[in-house]
Amino acid sequence: MIELKDLSQGFRNPELMQSLSQRIHQLSAQLSEPIKIMEVCGGHTHTIMKYGLNQLLPRNIEFIHGPGCPVCIMPKERIDHAIELAMLPEVILVTLGDMIRVPGSKGTLAQCRAKGGDVRPIYDPLDALEIAKQNPDRKVVFFAIGFETTTPMTAVLLELAEKQNVANLYFHINHVLVPPAVDAVMADGAAKVTAFIGPSHVSAITGSDIYQPIVDCYHTPVVVSGFEPVDVMQSILMIVEQKVQGIAKLEVQYTRVVTAKGNQAAQQKVASMFTLRPHFRWRGLGDIPLSSLVLSEQYRHRDAEIVFADALSDQAIEDHKACQCADILRGLAKPNQCRVFGRGCTPTKPMGSCMVSSEGACNAYYRYAGLAFDLDLNKDAAAKEATTDEAVTGKATTNEASINRAKTEKEITA
């Protein structure tokens, strides 16, 4: 019998990683200028850090971490909405697990629950339907988050609630879109991004064609990549090949799943239940027009922002001044450049959303690289050039992380 580990092993093969790394090194010598690659999704950031992929690249290729973590980009005022809803005696607030510890201006949902708010973490949106059925005398609010990947699941939940006449289920919609965020990064220009690694799970739903306007407008390569280390390294090689040839085009590395047009059945279901929200404020990127979704008119009777409008605050709230999540999400800073990283801000006591989420860049640095890790290639060229099996398999970075986390904990308790 074939086991799951057997299916993934080829995408983590050290020899193949070495071969890709060597080819990237060879071609990078022909580059006229450095490449700054933004991996849009936090899942890619975790792959890069876990397997030490940054150590396998030449010094003229740099990763810039992007705003592709739906928990990380949620502004404090939206978290406050969740807390305000949960504190209403008639409300049960359900949301995905990562949201529980994200701080708003009024604390976290975990702290809200400790104060008596009825907050229930779930891992399957359809659990919200069962909770609503089991509590007919309560109003159940599903605090929905995510990019295009998870929106179809919310659409299915809404469809079932309508068909089964579960009238006490409401939705606080925070579904956001990748292309407007990427466009905002490029339009700002501060991050100096010269290529993108696109998220494959989003693209499996939307199709890869959604990135073509970015390529055309900014003459910037976009390669849609899978999440295994071999996927990411092959995607980097595809970007380098484009740069050497002096071209910019959209390519799909993750051809085993992603197509140009995507899952059209899922797209149609989403389009039938949602419409574009005129404005949505992203943590770090600010207000981006037409970058998120809201329930369409026929479902507004389930829109928690309308039904509970009198209980919800309406004021933009900025992050803590010491927290640099905003700059990290814009690609202007690395996590270890934040002065509270690993000290005042840790996964067990996060100050910012990038440390909370399992897809957050700060979480990835803390988990796999530790406090002392420095991504400045000029400071440690030797480590950058390392192409050992340990770096490929993640053992080198993981061992280093253990040492650095021990140092960090000592500093915290000192």
Side-chain angles (χ1 to χ4, degrees):
M1 179 183 293
I2 297 177
E3 297 184 9
L4 184 60
K5 65 179 182 180
D6 297 324
L7 296 175
S8 64
Q9 195 59 41
F11 297 103
R12 302 175 185 180
N13 183 279
E15 288 75 21
L16 183 53
M17 298 292 289
Q18 294 284 0
S19 177
L20 288 167
S21 175
Q22 290 169 7
R23 181 58 180 156
I24 291 170
H25 274 260
Q26 292 168 357
L27 281 180
S28 68
Q30 303 176 38
L31 293 172
S32 59
E33 59 183 13
I35 304 176
K36 294 188 175 184
I37 302 173
M38 175 172 279
E39 78 281 5
V40 177
C41 180
H44 284 134
T45 305
H46 276 251
T47 296
I48 290 164
M49 301 305 296
K50 179 177 181 179
Y51 293 97
L53 304 189
N54 52 293
Q55 299 178 42
L56 301 177
L57 300 180
R59 284 176 285 176
N60 55 351
I61 299 177
E62 177 186 357
F63 288 116
I64 298 177
H65 314 310
C69 164
V71 172
C72 301
I73 61 89
M74 203 60 56
K76 281 190 172 183
E77 60 266 24
R78 305 297 288 185
I79 309 301
D80 285 354
H81 275 196
I83 293 171
E84 290 159 358
L85 288 167
M87 291 305 295
L88 296 175
E90 72 272 23
V91 168
I92 299 173
L93 192 285
V94 296
T95 189
L96 300 180
D98 270 0
M99 290 302 304
I100 300 299
R101 295 189 301 114
V102 180
S105 70
K106 301 180 179 182
T108 67
L109 282 170
Q111 293 167 337
C112 167
R113 183 169 55 183
K115 295 176 182 177
D118 197 340
V119 180
R120 305 189 189 184
I122 59 174
Y123 292 92
D124 180 350
L126 295 185
D127 289 344
L129 188 67
E130 294 306 312
I131 292 172
K133 290 179 180 179
Q134 294 163 9
N135 296 272
D137 57 334
R138 305 281 299 279
K139 295 178 179 179
V140 177
V141 178
F142 178 48
F143 191 82
I145 67 165
F147 286 93
E148 293 93 335
T149 315
T150 57
T151 309
M153 292 187 286
T154 302
V156 169
L157 175 61
L158 173 58
E159 181 181 52
L160 290 174
E162 288 287 299
K163 286 182 177 180
Q164 298 178 21
N165 196 29
V166 183
N168 64 324
L169 180 59
Y170 302 88
F171 296 78
H172 191 288
I173 300 298
N174 301 276
H175 286 301
V176 289
L177 308 175
V178 169
V182 173
D183 183 72
V185 168
M186 292 302 290
D188 177 73
K192 309 297 183 185
V193 176
T194 58
F196 286 96
I197 291 178
S200 54
H201 50 3
V202 165
S203 307
I205 300 295
T206 65
S208 59
D209 282 355
I210 63 168
Y211 308 110
Q212 192 61 53
I214 299 296
V215 176
D216 295 340
C217 182
Y218 299 104
H219 197 65
T220 302
V222 176
V223 176
V224 179
S225 173
F227 288 95
E228 293 293 343
V230 167
D231 289 327
V232 176
M233 288 296 287
Q234 185 180 9
S235 297
I236 295 167
L237 177 58
M238 293 165 74
I239 288 172
V240 174
E241 288 173 342
Q242 287 194 43
K243 287 293 186 178
V244 169
Q245 296 173 37
I247 61 175
K249 61 182 180 179
L250 170 64
E251 291 188 281
V252 177
Q253 179 275 334
Y254 197 56
T255 54
R256 57 190 186 272
V257 172
V258 175
T259 63
K261 301 303 179 183
N263 186 331
Q264 297 187 44
Q267 295 170 30
Q268 291 168 7
K269 190 171 291 293
V270 169
S272 70
M273 297 181 176
F274 295 92
T275 187
L276 288 172
R277 188 188 296 262
H279 294 275
F280 191 88
R281 202 174 81 89
W282 294 53
R283 190 186 296 245
L285 298 177
D287 180 74
I288 306 178
L290 305 176
S291 65
S292 71
L293 301 176
V294 66
L295 293 178
S296 59
E297 189 66 37
Q298 69 186 98
Y299 301 112
R300 293 293 169 86
H301 59 286
R302 293 186 182 271
D303 191 331
E305 293 185 73
I306 296 174
V307 175
F308 302 96
D310 292 342
L312 301 180
S313 56
D314 184 22
Q315 183 178 0
I317 301 169
E318 300 302 325
D319 283 333
H320 191 289
K321 291 182 179 180
C323 175
Q324 287 190 258
C325 271
D327 287 340
I328 292 166
L329 291 167
R330 294 170 62 201
L332 302 180
K334 300 291 194 299
N336 57 334
Q337 294 171 336
C338 177
R339 61 180 180 271
V340 296
F341 171 76
R343 296 176 174 85
C345 183
T346 67
T348 56
K349 192 175 180 180
M351 182 178 292
S353 59
C354 296
M355 185 64 86
V356 176
S357 173
S358 59
E359 292 190 359
C362 295
N363 185 290
Y365 271 60
Y366 189 92
R367 181 183 300 182
Y368 301 118
L371 180 64
F373 183 79
D374 195 333
L375 202 59
D376 184 346
L377 307 183
N378 293 322
K379 290 183 180 180
D380 195 355
K384 184 64 179 183
E385 297 295 336
T387 54
T388 63
D389 285 354
E390 286 78 14
V392 173
T393 59
K395 293 179 181 177
T397 50
T398 302
N399 290 338
E400 182 182 351
S402 300
I403 296 171
N404 289 329
R405 278 198 294 271
K407 291 179 180 178
T408 300
E409 297 300 332
K410 185 177 180 180
E411 292 179 12
I412 291 172
T413 56

PDB file of all heavy atoms in Angstrom, residues 380-397:
ATOM      1  N   ASP A 380      26.669  37.003   6.026  1.00  0.00           N
ATOM      2  CA  ASP A 380      27.030  35.593   6.208  1.00  0.00           C
ATOM      3  C   ASP A 380      26.972  34.878   4.869  1.00  0.00           C
ATOM      4  O   ASP A 380      26.137  34.022   4.637  1.00  0.00           O
ATOM      5  CB  ASP A 380      26.093  34.937   7.212  1.00  0.00           C
ATOM      6  CG  ASP A 380      26.646  33.604   7.711  1.00  0.00           C
ATOM      7  OD1 ASP A 380      27.696  33.179   7.200  1.00  0.00           O
ATOM      8  OD2 ASP A 380      26.030  33.010   8.595  1.00  0.00           O
ATOM      9  N   ALA A 381      27.881  35.238   3.985  1.00  0.00           N
ATOM     10  CA  ALA A 381      27.879  34.663   2.640  1.00  0.00           C
ATOM     11  C   ALA A 381      28.129  33.158   2.685  1.00  0.00           C
ATOM     12  O   ALA A 381      27.570  32.408   1.894  1.00  0.00           O
ATOM     13  CB  ALA A 381      28.954  35.350   1.789  1.00  0.00           C
ATOM     14  N   ALA A 382      28.927  32.731   3.622  1.00  0.00           N
ATOM     15  CA  ALA A 382      29.247  31.307   3.684  1.00  0.00           C
ATOM     16  C   ALA A 382      27.998  30.484   3.968  1.00  0.00           C
ATOM     17  O   ALA A 382      27.776  29.446   3.346  1.00  0.00           O
ATOM     18  CB  ALA A 382      30.295  31.060   4.777  1.00  0.00           C
ATOM     19  N   ALA A 383      27.183  30.956   4.914  1.00  0.00           N
ATOM     20  CA  ALA A 383      25.940  30.231   5.217  1.00  0.00           C
ATOM     21  C   ALA A 383      25.009  30.261   4.026  1.00  0.00           C
ATOM     22  O   ALA A 383      24.291  29.311   3.745  1.00  0.00           O
ATOM     23  CB  ALA A 383      25.256  30.852   6.437  1.00  0.00           C
ATOM     24  N   LYS A 384      25.038  31.365   3.293  1.00  0.00           N
ATOM     25  CA  LYS A 384      24.167  31.500   2.122  1.00  0.00           C
ATOM     26  C   LYS A 384      24.544  30.504   1.041  1.00  0.00           C
ATOM     27  O   LYS A 384      23.695  29.993   0.313  1.00  0.00           O
ATOM     28  CB  LYS A 384      24.254  32.933   1.591  1.00  0.00           C
ATOM     29  CG  LYS A 384      23.326  33.235   0.445  1.00  0.00           C
ATOM     30  CD  LYS A 384      21.893  33.114   0.900  1.00  0.00           C
ATOM     31  CE  LYS A 384      20.966  33.439  -0.234  1.00  0.00           C
ATOM     32  NZ  LYS A 384      19.573  33.395   0.177  1.00  0.00           N
ATOM     33  N   GLU A 385      25.809  30.220   0.918  1.00  0.00           N
ATOM     34  CA  GLU A 385      26.281  29.341  -0.140  1.00  0.00           C
ATOM     35  C   GLU A 385      26.136  27.866   0.224  1.00  0.00           C
ATOM     36  O   GLU A 385      26.331  26.995  -0.617  1.00  0.00           O
ATOM     37  CB  GLU A 385      27.765  29.629  -0.441  1.00  0.00           C
ATOM     38  CG  GLU A 385      28.030  31.041  -0.977  1.00  0.00           C
ATOM     39  CD  GLU A 385      27.395  31.262  -2.334  1.00  0.00           C
ATOM     40  OE1 GLU A 385      27.157  30.283  -3.057  1.00  0.00           O
ATOM     41  OE2 GLU A 385      27.125  32.411  -2.680  1.00  0.00           O
ATOM     42  N   ALA A 386      25.822  27.584   1.494  1.00  0.00           N
ATOM     43  CA  ALA A 386      25.759  26.186   1.933  1.00  0.00           C
ATOM     44  C   ALA A 386      24.703  25.422   1.159  1.00  0.00           C
ATOM     45  O   ALA A 386      23.594  25.878   0.996  1.00  0.00           O
ATOM     46  CB  ALA A 386      25.449  26.128   3.430  1.00  0.00           C
ATOM     47  N   THR A 387      25.085  24.254   0.693  1.00  0.00           N
ATOM     48  CA  THR A 387      24.118  23.404  -0.026  1.00  0.00           C
ATOM     49  C   THR A 387      24.209  21.975   0.501  1.00  0.00           C
ATOM     50  O   THR A 387      24.299  21.016  -0.251  1.00  0.00           O
ATOM     51  CB  THR A 387      24.404  23.416  -1.540  1.00  0.00           C
ATOM     52  OG1 THR A 387      25.774  23.040  -1.756  1.00  0.00           O
ATOM     53  CG2 THR A 387      24.153  24.782  -2.133  1.00  0.00           C
ATOM     54  N   THR A 388      24.224  21.868   1.818  1.00  0.00           N
ATOM     55  CA  THR A 388      24.337  20.553   2.433  1.00  0.00           C
ATOM     56  C   THR A 388      22.993  19.856   2.471  1.00  0.00           C
ATOM     57  O   THR A 388      21.946  20.489   2.388  1.00  0.00           O
ATOM     58  CB  THR A 388      24.853  20.693   3.880  1.00  0.00           C
ATOM     59  OG1 THR A 388      23.885  21.432   4.622  1.00  0.00           O
ATOM     60  CG2 THR A 388      26.192  21.400   3.924  1.00  0.00           C
ATOM     61  N   ASP A 389      23.048  18.551   2.620  1.00  0.00           N
ATOM     62  CA  ASP A 389      21.809  17.789   2.759  1.00  0.00           C
ATOM     63  C   ASP A 389      21.024  18.256   3.976  1.00  0.00           C
ATOM     64  O   ASP A 389      19.807  18.245   3.991  1.00  0.00           O
ATOM     65  CB  ASP A 389      22.106  16.295   2.896  1.00  0.00           C
ATOM     66  CG  ASP A 389      22.499  15.681   1.559  1.00  0.00           C
ATOM     67  OD1 ASP A 389      22.418  16.402   0.550  1.00  0.00           O
ATOM     68  OD2 ASP A 389      22.867  14.493   1.544  1.00  0.00           O
ATOM     69  N   GLU A 390      21.748  18.662   5.044  1.00  0.00           N
ATOM     70  CA  GLU A 390      21.055  19.110   6.245  1.00  0.00           C
ATOM     71  C   GLU A 390      20.218  20.345   5.951  1.00  0.00           C
ATOM     72  O   GLU A 390      19.100  20.485   6.431  1.00  0.00           O
ATOM     73  CB  GLU A 390      22.048  19.420   7.374  1.00  0.00           C
ATOM     74  CG  GLU A 390      22.660  18.193   8.014  1.00  0.00           C
ATOM     75  CD  GLU A 390      23.776  17.604   7.157  1.00  0.00           C
ATOM     76  OE1 GLU A 390      24.231  18.284   6.223  1.00  0.00           O
ATOM     77  OE2 GLU A 390      24.174  16.460   7.416  1.00  0.00           O
ATOM     78  N   ALA A 391      20.764  21.268   5.159  1.00  0.00           N
ATOM     79  CA  ALA A 391      20.000  22.471   4.806  1.00  0.00           C
ATOM     80  C   ALA A 391      18.786  22.102   3.981  1.00  0.00           C
ATOM     81  O   ALA A 391      17.707  22.649   4.149  1.00  0.00           O
ATOM     82  CB  ALA A 391      20.888  23.451   4.034  1.00  0.00           C
ATOM     83  N   VAL A 392      18.967  21.139   3.072  1.00  0.00           N
ATOM     84  CA  VAL A 392      17.856  20.722   2.210  1.00  0.00           C
ATOM     85  C   VAL A 392      16.734  20.109   3.027  1.00  0.00           C
ATOM     86  O   VAL A 392      15.558  20.402   2.819  1.00  0.00           O
ATOM     87  CB  VAL A 392      18.354  19.703   1.159  1.00  0.00           C
ATOM     88  CG1 VAL A 392      17.177  19.147   0.367  1.00  0.00           C
ATOM     89  CG2 VAL A 392      19.326  20.376   0.206  1.00  0.00           C
ATOM     90  N   THR A 393      17.081  19.256   3.966  1.00  0.00           N
ATOM     91  CA  THR A 393      16.049  18.539   4.715  1.00  0.00           C
ATOM     92  C   THR A 393      15.501  19.347   5.876  1.00  0.00           C
ATOM     93  O   THR A 393      14.543  18.944   6.517  1.00  0.00           O
ATOM     94  CB  THR A 393      16.623  17.227   5.277  1.00  0.00           C
ATOM     95  OG1 THR A 393      17.739  17.530   6.129  1.00  0.00           O
ATOM     96  CG2 THR A 393      17.073  16.309   4.162  1.00  0.00           C
ATOM     97  N   GLY A 394      16.120  20.506   6.151  1.00  0.00           N
ATOM     98  CA  GLY A 394      15.606  21.333   7.232  1.00  0.00           C
ATOM     99  C   GLY A 394      16.285  21.078   8.564  1.00  0.00           C
ATOM    100  O   GLY A 394      16.019  21.762   9.522  1.00  0.00           O
ATOM    101  N   LYS A 395      17.172  20.076   8.647  1.00  0.00           N
ATOM    102  CA  LYS A 395      17.767  19.744   9.934  1.00  0.00           C
ATOM    103  C   LYS A 395      18.672  20.860  10.440  1.00  0.00           C
ATOM    104  O   LYS A 395      18.690  21.169  11.619  1.00  0.00           O
ATOM    105  CB  LYS A 395      18.572  18.446   9.823  1.00  0.00           C
ATOM    106  CG  LYS A 395      17.697  17.213   9.559  1.00  0.00           C
ATOM    107  CD  LYS A 395      18.549  15.971   9.436  1.00  0.00           C
ATOM    108  CE  LYS A 395      17.691  14.750   9.145  1.00  0.00           C
ATOM    109  NZ  LYS A 395      18.500  13.538   8.956  1.00  0.00           N
ATOM    110  N   ALA A 396      19.412  21.478   9.513  1.00  0.00           N
ATOM    111  CA  ALA A 396      20.346  22.515   9.943  1.00  0.00           C
ATOM    112  C   ALA A 396      19.605  23.688  10.552  1.00  0.00           C
ATOM    113  O   ALA A 396      19.945  24.167  11.618  1.00  0.00           O
ATOM    114  CB  ALA A 396      21.189  22.989   8.751  1.00  0.00           C
ATOM    115  N   THR A 397      18.551  24.171   9.861  1.00  0.00           N
ATOM    116  CA  THR A 397      17.815  25.312  10.370  1.00  0.00           C
ATOM    117  C   THR A 397      17.056  24.961  11.639  1.00  0.00           C
ATOM    118  O   THR A 397      16.929  25.770  12.540  1.00  0.00           O
ATOM    119  CB  THR A 397      16.840  25.837   9.313  1.00  0.00           C
ATOM    120  OG1 THR A 397      16.080  24.746   8.817  1.00  0.00           O
ATOM    121  CG2 THR A 397      17.580  26.494   8.172  1.00  0.00           C
TER     122      THR A 397
END
